[in-house]
Amino acid sequence: ILPNFRVTELANNQAKDDIKLVIGDERAWRLLEMLQLTRYRYGRMDLNSVYRTKSFNSSLKYADPNSCHLKCWAFDWDCPNQTDSQRQEKAQWWKDLCTQYGEVGAINFYTSGYHCEIGSDVQYGQTSFKIRDYRGKAGDW
């Protein structure tokens, strides 16, 4: 699918569903292209969630029932021990990519990494890019 990713990195391998990956629309393909550009910039990336099945998502205690993961419009990136300046640099990178691709997106900061999404205007009614800091709060992974 992408030059530097395996399908298993993108699929919902923990789901009990038969179908583990759906790239159903143009926006999902756009996210994957943006993900590839992010890997070119930062090198190795440990992803723990890109696409999620609805049943798997609903089994997660703190998952948003309208999560962008359900449409393959988000990815969670394990990247622990980040300084504030590293977090801000990655937030600016994702914001710039969203702008370049004409997307309303967001980045969430978690203790162990990031959640990056596009389609926030459709899913959540956002009108501009958001940075959310969930470190130390319920659901912080």
Side-chain angles (χ1 to χ4, degrees):
I1 294 175
L2 300 172
N4 297 106
F5 288 91
R6 296 179 313 278
V7 170
T8 55
E9 288 181 275
L10 309 174
N12 192 177
N13 300 304
Q14 296 173 312
K16 293 180 180 159
D17 307 76
D18 289 336
I19 297 174
K20 310 263 190 221
L21 178 61
V22 175
I23 305 170
D25 63 14
E26 185 178 319
R27 182 168 271 144
W29 286 106
R30 193 172 305 124
L31 176 91
L32 296 180
E33 188 174 320
M34 295 165 73
L35 180 56
Q36 180 65 59
L37 291 172
T38 303
R39 183 166 267 179
Y40 284 148
R41 179 173 178 101
Y42 295 105
R44 184 173 181 267
M45 295 174 70
D46 292 325
L47 301 177
N48 69 26
S49 185
V50 180
Y51 174 75
R52 287 185 195 157
T53 65
K54 189 172 185 168
S55 61
F56 179 80
N57 191 69
S58 65
S59 75
L60 301 174
K61 185 174 182 178
Y62 294 104
D64 184 332
N66 297 314
S67 173
C68 289
H69 289 284
L70 297 169
K71 296 184 176 186
C72 197
W73 294 356
F75 64 91
D76 293 340
W77 174 10
D78 286 341
C79 199
N81 305 316
Q82 297 285 284
T83 66
D84 285 341
S85 64
Q86 288 171 314
R87 289 181 188 282
Q88 290 307 315
E89 190 277 330
K90 286 178 178 69
Q92 188 63 52
W93 165 258
W94 191 248
K95 180 180 181 181
D96 290 347
L97 266 183
C98 288
T99 299
Q100 178 183 340
Y101 279 82
E103 288 288 345
V104 175
I107 188 169
N108 297 352
F109 296 161
Y110 294 106
T111 299
S112 63
Y114 306 94
H115 163 91
C116 298
E117 70 185 35
I118 60 174
S120 308
D121 51 336
V122 174
Q123 291 300 92
Y124 306 114
Q126 285 179 206
T127 57
S128 62
F129 187 86
K130 300 283 185 211
I131 299 173
R132 305 178 196 110
D133 192 341
Y134 292 118
R135 291 176 288 169
K137 297 180 182 174
D140 176 14
W141 49 272

